[in-house]
Amino acid sequence: MNQERVFQVLLGPHMTEKAAILADNKNQFVFKVAQDATKPEVKKAVEQLFDVKVESVRVVNARGKTRRTLHGIGRRKGVRKAYVSLAEGQSIDFADAE
């Protein structure tokens, strides 16, 4: 996988309270990924970018929330998230990655 595709697949980390708990307890990290990204692509991208060993990848399509506005009902953008499980002893520090 070339370096350009790595940055097209991984859009950034998804930092929430749930993601922080997963990182501490289960060694899982959450990333926002492109809509056309596949599990093998996400695995290769994370392994290349952060130099870690990935055990498994789970992908979730989160639909955007429906919101009422002055002009009617609208919808926020949806997001595709990847839950990446790392091998034992591996870790990602997002502060060092930048």
Side-chain angles (χ1 to χ4, degrees), residues 21-42:
I21 292 169
L22 286 173
D24 290 339
N25 296 338
K26 295 191 176 186
N27 205 22
Q28 288 184 346
F29 295 88
V30 185
F31 294 94
K32 292 177 191 172
V33 296
Q35 291 294 328
D36 63 341
T38 61
K39 287 182 181 183
E41 282 182 331
V42 172

Side-chain angles (χ1 to χ4, degrees), residues 1 24 26 28 45 69 84-85:
M1 177 181 288
D24 290 339
K26 295 191 176 186
Q28 288 184 346
T69 65
V84 177
S85 297

